[in-house]
Amino acid sequence: MSKAKNVVVAQSGGPSPVINSSLLGVLDAVKDFPKTFGTVYAGWHGIEGVLKEELLDMSAQPSEELRLLRTTPAAGAIGTCRYKLKTGQTEDYERIIEVFRAHDVGYFFYNGGNDSMDTANKVAKLAAERGLELVATGVPKTIDNDVGDSEFKLIDHTPGYGSVARYWALIVQNANEENRGACPSDPVLVLQAMGRKIGFIPAAARLADPNREMPLQIYLRESGLTLDALADNVNRQLKADGRCIVVISEGFDVGEIGESKDSFGHTQFSSSGTTVEQTVVNYLNGKGLAARGSARGQVMGTDQRDTAIYASTVDIDEAYEVGRKAVRIAAEEGSGWMSTILREGGSAYRVRYDKVPLEEVANSERSFPEDWIAKDRIDVTDDFVRYARPLMGESWPAVPLAGGLQRFARLGMSFADTKCKPYVPQAYRK
């Protein structure tokens, strides 16, 4: 590209405690290439903002607010969406090209998971077909850690996972104190974790107790156990210890619970008529416990992905660096890549930032390693602990306070002037 072109950065899917750190990495890195990148816009609420031509001017934001993005969780700063660009939505794709052309956009950074990488790849290819010079680059994000391959060659872990792992380690520590004190009346505590199809989040509960001193049982979606087997395991624990903490995936098979689907077609267990946790609690109490008292439970909600104080400092730093790396890739390598985190060998935890083809990430699917599941199917192995423990970090994040409350970034609502006709995204038309 002969002259500086404008930039659009957008986010898609569920948020994370560190998603805005990646955004800050992108914003900081574009300043290193003033002859390459022009004005930076953010798609307000992801790709929907691009379709509606709602482009938030990030270049006009106060620097003191942008600095706060490092410890601002979730996606309130520029928004996210769950709008899926499907292959047949040709008008949507053409609209994106129209908006990019109207605003002289030559660079598109998309922060998200596999679906987002697929979208970025398709947009870049269509732009080339339409004669628009557009460099599309992916920035990885998901708390589920399901982006990439099962051999960890495309990406070792995704930004967001280290923070949710830290959340679960600390929550289980506190839950253990509750269970120790309340076990004469409430000997069983059931905690439901996110992770509809993969077990990395509930597995992180083991980080609270790497020496296995708690009466802790972990039920991944991949465990393959039945409710009856779960009840037998819990009662064995009660006979041995008098109490039991159960961490269970929202995707654990307890039969039909009336789950709903989001716009990506993904199952939403926590938005259904009942929950896995409630089903398990009812089943245990109905079958009977091998101890006096009853089971009780709790469903951890969106706080797993939107709580700043539980964020991992390692995760914050790595999220920032993959954002910066994405910009360098776009400036030096061109289109069709995602920035990535790869772990170096050796006993000390070290990573390097690299690139992988968008197309490979979009067509990949990670599974939880079978050899990281314990033989009894209710725990994870030390290999998992060695993998996940460094991602938690060693310290609390420095979240600034104002008047005793967390001080998050609050961006000014300064949008680019519209140049295209109003547009309703295809999926929203009746």
Side-chain angles (χ1 to χ4, degrees), residues 246-261:
V246 173
V247 174
I248 191 163
S249 167
E250 65 180 351
F252 183 83
D253 186 6
V254 295
E256 179 60 43
I257 58 173
E259 61 266 21
S260 59
K261 303 280 187 180

Side-chain angles (χ1 to χ4, degrees), residues 157-224:
H157 56 278
T158 47
Y161 178 64
S163 293
V164 77
R166 182 173 187 266
Y167 170 96
W168 272 99
L170 301 185
I171 285 293
V172 169
Q173 271 195 297
N174 286 283
N176 183 56
E177 295 304 304
E178 157 81 12
N179 188 240
R180 286 178 64 194
C183 61
S185 57
D186 303 313
V188 179
L189 179 60
V190 180
L191 305 176
Q192 179 179 306
M194 285 181 171
R196 57 182 175 256
K197 64 178 183 177
I198 196 167
F200 280 99
I201 295 177
R206 176 48 62 200
L207 300 176
D209 180 35
N211 295 324
R212 294 173 172 79
E213 297 170 341
M214 297 179 187
L216 173 64
Q217 297 183 5
I218 301 170
Y219 291 85
L220 312 182
R221 176 184 175 90
E222 299 88 341
S223 70

Side-chain angles (χ1 to χ4, degrees), residues 168 175 179 186-193 217 219 230 234 244-249 276-282 284 294-300:
W168 272 99
N179 188 240
D186 303 313
V188 179
L189 179 60
V190 180
L191 305 176
Q192 179 179 306
Q217 297 183 5
Y219 291 85
L230 182 153
V234 168
C244 183
I245 302 169
V246 173
V247 174
I248 191 163
S249 167
V276 167
E277 168 270 327
Q278 190 61 63
T279 302
V280 169
V281 167
N282 290 346
L284 290 172
S294 59
R296 66 184 304 162
Q298 184 174 353
V299 177
M300 302 303 175

Side-chain angles (χ1 to χ4, degrees), residues 336-351:
W337 303 98
M338 182 189 82
S339 58
T340 191
I341 305 171
L342 299 174
R343 194 176 305 214
E344 300 280 28
S347 57
Y349 176 71
R350 293 180 300 118
V351 299

Side-chain angles (χ1 to χ4, degrees), residues 29 78 255 391 394:
I78 65 171
L391 311 183
E394 299 287 344

Side-chain angles (χ1 to χ4, degrees), residues 39-90:
T39 301
V40 181
Y41 299 109
W44 182 240
H45 292 288
I47 203 68
E48 287 191 38
V50 177
L51 292 168
K52 296 176 182 178
E53 202 183 0
E54 296 174 347
L55 304 179
L56 187 65
D57 189 347
M58 301 303 290
S59 298
Q61 301 299 328
S63 59
E64 60 270 21
E65 294 300 324
L66 295 180
R67 290 296 100 203
L68 290 169
L69 288 172
R70 174 178 166 83
T71 50
T72 296
I78 65 171
T80 185
C81 68
R82 290 191 181 275
Y83 189 88
K84 185 173 177 63
L85 284 165
K86 299 178 181 178
T87 302
Q89 291 171 209
T90 55

